[in-house]
Amino acid sequence: MRMQSLKKAGLKKAALASLAGLGTLALTAGSAFAAAKDPLNSGDTAWMITSSALVLMMTIPGLGLFYGGMVRKKNVLATLAQSFGATALITVLWMIIGYSIAFTANPNAGTNQFVGGFSYLFLTPMGLNAVTSLAGTIPESVYMFFQMTFAIITPALIAGALADRMKFSAFLWFMGLWLIFVYCPIAHWVWGGGWLGTLGALDYAGGSVVHLNAGTAALVTCLVLGKRIGLGTENMSPHNLVLSVIGASLLWVGWFGFNAGSAVTAGYNAGMAAAATQIATAAAALAWMFAEWIIAKKPSVLGMISGAVAGLVAITPASGFVDPVGALIIGIAAGVVCYISAVWVKKAIGYDDSLDAWGVHGVGGALGAMLTGAFAKNAINSAGKGWLTDGNGHQMLIQFYDVAAVFVYCGIVTFIILKVIDIIIGLRVSPEVEVEGLDINLHGESVHDH
Amino acid sequence: MKLITAIIKPFKLDEVRESLSALGVQGMTVTEVKGYGRQKGHTEIYRGAEYAVSFLPKLKIEVAVKGEMLDAVIEAITSKAKTGQIGDGKIFVTPLEQVVRIRTGETDGDAL
C-alpha cells in the first residue's frame, strides 16, 4: 500500500511537469526525477515523530504514575525511579545495539529468521537521508526513535510484578539484559523480518511482542522473587489512586501513538487503528466495571482504570486489522477476562504479581493476539484474513504459534537472566529494607507531607 | 472545673462548635484522631484484595468548663453530634485541678 501511494505521488508530479512550458521541460523533468527519488512523506514523518513522543509519554510519566499510585507510600519514588531509569538505560542500549539486532537484516538468511544484523551498532551507518525498507516514507532516524519507545515501555511494564522488593541495581541489569536477549530477538521475529512475521503472525502494535512478552517476564519474575513480606496480613492497599488515574489516562492518550502510530503512515490504517483503540478501551473499562459491580458490589476506580488498560492491551495486536464491531467485542472480552485473571486466578494460585503485570498485560496480550486471528478483516487491512470474519481458521493456528513461541522463549530466557543476576549481585533487598521502604534505603529520599 | 473530651463524627464539628459558642464556651481544641468503638472498621477491596480498615477517622474535641456549665455543654454536644447511627462517638468527663492562662497568669475560673 505504501508503494501504491508513492507511485501516485510520482504520477502527480509528472502531470504537473507536463503542464509546464516546453522551454522549462528539461528543468522540471529533472526536478520531478529528483523528487521521485526522495521517498519522504512529510505528513507521515510528522505523525511518526508525534507518535514516538506519545509512546514515550506512556512510560514517563504514564506507567510510572499508574504503578506509583498503587504501591505503598514508602515505595513510590522507587517505583517512579524504575520507569525513569529504564527509559534512560534502554535509550542508550537501543542506540548501541538494540535497533541493530531487532530491525536490521542479518546477512545470513537463516540467522535472520531469529536475530538481526550487527552492522548498525551505535547507529553509525544511519545517515541523514537513511530510509529503511520497513518504513519507506519516513527517515530511518524517526523509525529508530519510534521503535525505541516500544523497546522502553516493554521491559518497564515488568516492574508491576517486582514492585516493593527488588534492588535497583539488579533491576537495571535485568532491564538491560532482558532488552537484548528477549525483547530484541522477539521484535525481530515478528516485525524485523524474522520467522513469525514470515509465518504470517498478525501483531499490529505488539500484543505478543510487547504485552504478552512483558507479562510473561512479569510472571516469571514474581515467581523467582517470591512474595512480598506481609502479603495477606499487612495492609498493602494503594497509597494514592489519584496518581494511578492520571497514569492510566496518560497511557490511554499515549496509546494512540502506540497503535495508530504502528501504521507507520498517516492515512486510512492509522485512522481505523485509532478508532478501534478508543472503542475497545472504553468497552473494556465498562466491562471490568460492571463485572466488579455485579460480583464485588461496588464499581471501584481502580477497576475502571484497570479495565481501560486491559482493553488497550488487547486491542494492540488487533488495531489496524479489525473493524469497530471487532474492537467492541475484543474490548468487552478483555475487561471480563482480565478482571477474572487479576482478581480470581491470582488469588487462587497465590503468586504475588503485585500490580498485575501478568494478569493484565500477559493475559490481555495473549487474548488480544488470539482474537486478532478471529476478527482480522481483509476489507480493513489486506494483510489480515481472520477466522470469524473471512473464514480463515488457519490464522488462529498461526496466532497460537505466535503466543506459544513468545511465552516459551520469554519464560525460559527471563528465568535464566534472573538466576544469573541473583547469583552475582542478588535480586532482592534485605527484609529490613523491604519493611522500612525502598525510597529511603535505595534512593535516600522520601515523600513528605509537610 | 471539668475537662470534657468528646469523640465525634468529623462532619458534625461545625454544628457542635456553634452550639458551644452560643452557650458561652470561649475555646476548644480539636484533633484529628483514628479509633474504633462498636462501629468497628470497614473493608476496602482493591482488585479482589480485601483490607480491613480497623481505625476510622474521628475528631476529638477538648473543652474546659466551669462545673455549673457541664450539663448544658454535654447536652449541646449530645444533641448536635447525634445522627442516631452507630459511630456517633462518646463524651468523657474528667475533673480539672488547675488552669493557667499563659499570657496573663490568670488562674482557674478567670482563665477559662
Side-chain angles (χ1 to χ4, degrees), chain A residues 74-144:
Chain A
K74 62 185 177 182
N75 297 328
V76 57
L77 291 175
T79 305
L80 290 167
Q82 288 173 345
S83 292
F84 219 90
T87 300
L89 177 71
I90 290 163
T91 296
V92 173
L93 289 176
W94 191 250
M95 175 264 179
I96 294 173
I97 183 172
Y99 180 73
S100 184
I101 59 173
F103 287 98
T104 68
N106 193 299
N108 180 317
T111 313
N112 191 46
Q113 295 303 308
F114 301 99
V115 66
F118 290 88
S119 61
Y120 256 65
L121 297 185
F122 292 93
L123 303 176
T124 38
M126 192 179 77
L128 177 68
N129 301 323
V131 174
T132 166
S133 59
L134 296 168
T137 60
I138 63 173
E140 186 166 24
S141 56
V142 176
Y143 188 67
M144 184 280 299

Side-chain angles (χ1 to χ4, degrees), chain A residues 70 234-238 306 343 347 355-356, chain B residues 43-53:
Chain A
M70 276 192 268
E234 277 175 36
N235 188 334
M236 294 189 176
S237 58
S306 305
V343 171
K347 215 178 193 179
L355 313 179
D356 299 303
Chain B
T43 305
E44 294 180 5
I45 304 177
Y46 298 94
R47 285 184 182 163
E50 286 191 33
Y51 300 108
V53 179

Side-chain angles (χ1 to χ4, degrees), chain A residues 4 25 30 45 68 87 98-99 118 120 127 143 162 179 245 258 272 285 297 301 303 375 381 388 428 442 447 450:
Chain A
Q4 282 172 356
L25 183 63
T45 305
T87 300
Y99 180 73
F118 290 88
Y120 256 65
Y143 188 67
L162 50 84
L179 173 83
V245 173
F258 207 86
M272 189 58 92
K297 306 299 176 211
V301 175
F375 292 104
N381 190 325
L388 298 175
R428 192 162 173 161
L442 299 188
V447 175
H450 56 73

